[in-house]
Amino acid sequence: MSESEAPDLVIILITGPENPKRLPSAFFLAATAAAGEQKVVMYFTGPATELLAKGKAESIFPMPGGKSVADFMKLAEDNDVQIIGCLQSLELNGMTKGDLAKEIPLLNPSAALPTLGAAGRVLTW
């Protein structure tokens, strides 16, 4: 991603399975901004990287009987939010690329920061 493609909004998602009630809002904000024609990137790092594992997001329900985190992630992706994972966080969480539910861009922080920092707004969640 070049500077001319700088996102309007970046959400650096740190929250993971340990706090499921915090997760839907991040995806709602991302989807809403993207639906409003903004270029939005979500960068999953730290515990949030676990959400990218096969079957993990599908198994987390912020409200009993409600939608899964995977449903909220799909809402964001359906609105063209770009999902990027932290390469270093895979190892931190005992994961490999093969553990991911789907192929996504994986960047270490030094590769991700120039683009993330060029965004109009950055939220840490």
Side-chain angles (χ1 to χ4, degrees):
M1 196 180 295
S2 68
E3 281 189 39
S4 64
E5 299 172 346
D8 299 300
L9 173 64
V10 165
I11 296 176
I12 299 174
L13 190 64
I14 299 168
T15 303
E18 77 286 352
N19 196 345
K21 288 184 180 182
R22 283 183 54 93
L23 294 169
S25 297
F27 297 107
F28 281 137
L29 285 172
T32 301
E37 303 300 318
Q38 294 186 45
K39 183 176 173 101
V40 181
V41 171
M42 293 186 80
Y43 183 68
F44 288 58
T45 190
T49 309
E50 292 180 63
L51 300 172
L52 302 172
K54 293 173 189 161
K56 188 67 170 186
E58 292 83 357
S59 70
I60 301 170
F61 295 85
M63 286 182 40
K67 293 183 177 188
S68 72
V69 170
D71 294 322
F72 296 110
M73 290 173 72
K74 184 176 182 327
L75 174 68
E77 290 178 297
D78 286 351
N79 281 283
D80 297 323
V81 172
Q82 183 181 13
I83 305 291
I84 300 174
C86 176
L87 187 58
Q88 287 177 315
S89 290
L90 287 182
E91 184 177 332
L92 173 71
N93 288 292
M95 297 169 59
T96 67
K97 291 178 186 179
D99 294 318
L100 298 177
K102 62 182 166 183
E103 193 172 316
I104 60 166
L106 294 169
L107 300 173
N108 63 37
S110 62
L113 281 174
T115 297
L116 301 180
R121 289 166 293 169
V122 177
L123 302 176
T124 302
W125 210 269

